[in-house]
Amino acid sequence: VVGMVFSVASNAAEPLSSWRDGATRDAIVRFVTEVSDTSSSAYVSPSERIAVFDNDGTLWAEQPMYFQLMFAIHRVEAMAADHPEWKTREPFASLLKGDVAAALAGGMPAIVELVMETHANVSTDEFAAAVNDWLATARHPKTGYKYTEMVYQPMLELLDYLRANGFTTYIVSGGGIDFMRPWTEAVYGIPPEQVVGSSVKTRYEVLDGVPTLVRAPEMNFIDDKEGKPVGIHTHIGRRPIMAVGNSDGDFQMLEWVTARPGPSLGVIVHHTDAERAWAYDRDSHIGKLDRALDEGPDRGWVIVDMKSDWREVFAGPE
Amino acid sequence: VVGMVFSVASNAAEPLSSWRDGATRDAIVRFVTEVSDTSSSAYVSPSERIAVFDNDGTLWAEQPMYFQLMFAIHRVEAMAADHPEWKTREPFASLLKGDVAAALAGGMPAIVELVMETHANVSTDEFAAAVNDWLATARHPKTGYKYTEMVYQPMLELLDYLRANGFTTYIVSGGGIDFMRPWTEAVYGIPPEQVVGSSVKTRYEVLDGVPTLVRAPEMNFIDDKEGKPVGIHTHIGRRPIMAVGNSDGDFQMLEWVTARPGPSLGVIVHHTDAERAWAYDRDSHIGKLDRALDEGPDRGWVIVDMKSDWREVFAGPE
Ligand SMILES: [Ca+2]
Ligand SMILES: [Ca+2]
């Protein structure tokens, strides 16, 4: 009986169990072991043991489009009654006819307009409630999972493994900071103060006697590409020792982290699994991975091959 | 012998020993005790037990002028050789002649120009080193203390007391975030990621192959007045339960925090001690305290009378 208990406990404690044995898992374990080992020349004190993770395509999926864009489309439908002008104005008109492709044909300007109109002129509290309401019921069109079930099981295990070894884990995402914070603690174990993202300008106002933070329809900060090291500096004020991403939007973040003096680790998730998820890289509009795929290996970055390195992909329903 | 050891341990553990017994200390202790007591209806979970502190005039002194302005003046002298044009350009010309009053007669525009020119066009690493170099040797003109010895002993004890009761302590200051972060952990026990402040725009660049964050001569965010609740939202993403300040620049921060549903505490430090420090409030250009002094008591804010509530003022040399 004692033997059985020990055996169960040992399995439960096995870190990174959804990662297959191999060079990728070994590189991660070796790095974490070395920086946590007080007798190692690569030892790093816990306060500096900071790991930053991109979100879309790194911690959760981003196909067939960014999930925040799914939320924006939902908001158009929910808000349409208060915006009769949308019936004749793109990209809203196409969306309201159900033609997502036509709506998004306007490219980034259309997407920015969509996000501004659906994410602003509400209080931060109202916006957080709208995000949570949507996540409670919305389903992914391919898998039928809730969006918060479209998170990668191996990455949940990696976050746990890092925290068990004294790391502090941050999200550094191009997605909206206020779109992520309502749910990242429950889903990833990452509290709001450890989430860095893009933001709109926010105003403090006393409305009918009630102090309120109002989201303005104006970009404040874009936490992508060259913005990621800036966002890290603004929010954390220290240089992380580990960075994990999946696209060229993470290039500068990995470059900044892995150029630090002392030990560091850069990790790129390569979407190679067309069967269990999606396969895309250089030619994708979403999560384009080109330069980082070319230069990553020479820079010592670990490239995760999703198809061969991961035993499981999505966390799925509990 | 055992009795003596217990007695010493008990004195050492006495919290807030530089605070005199009375209504102010009682109000703070009562609040902290209640929100930390799982059997109290006012109990708040540790993750939400967040306290925010203004810095200038709240954690350290701000007379005869903001210490960051002292640093800027020092930088003018240090950088003058590379800026021959300053000899004929205000406010630099007056400063280089030693006439601080004439330099500052230009008001806020002169101060902003001074700070922009002396705090920008350097890397974040170079700037942090310049701050630390200055703090290591500069002395306060009145006391002869180092500036980091001009911190308030009762506030150091309050920070310790809060953290011992499960609080996370943040600075939310109008001062520069990059001016504070190099030293707040050593002096206050507040790490860089828990410092919120004003900032300049920062650019990520690879200079001669070296990834670098460069401070641009352009304001990014002013963390004062209506900006303080915005800075709290951006950096923390939760509403604190306790806020401590000393001027009308903290009004909106205390208003935002003490209007939250559930228990909260607002504290204003009133500079009433002309003998041990300085006495100023409504008519002061630095740390003007007017509206918060009028409305604070009706809003339930605790007003600290520095002269009568504090047994000691400055931490001073070790
Ligand atoms: Ca991504
Ligand atoms: Ca102040």
Side-chain angles (χ1 to χ4, degrees), chain B residues 54 56 62 246-247 250:
Chain B
D54 170 60
D56 298 308
E62 59 184 351
N246 79 300
S247 80
D250 301 308

Side-chain angles (χ1 to χ4, degrees), chain A residues 54 56-58 62 246-247 250:
Chain A
D54 170 60
D56 298 307
T58 297
E62 59 184 350
N246 79 300
S247 80
D250 301 308

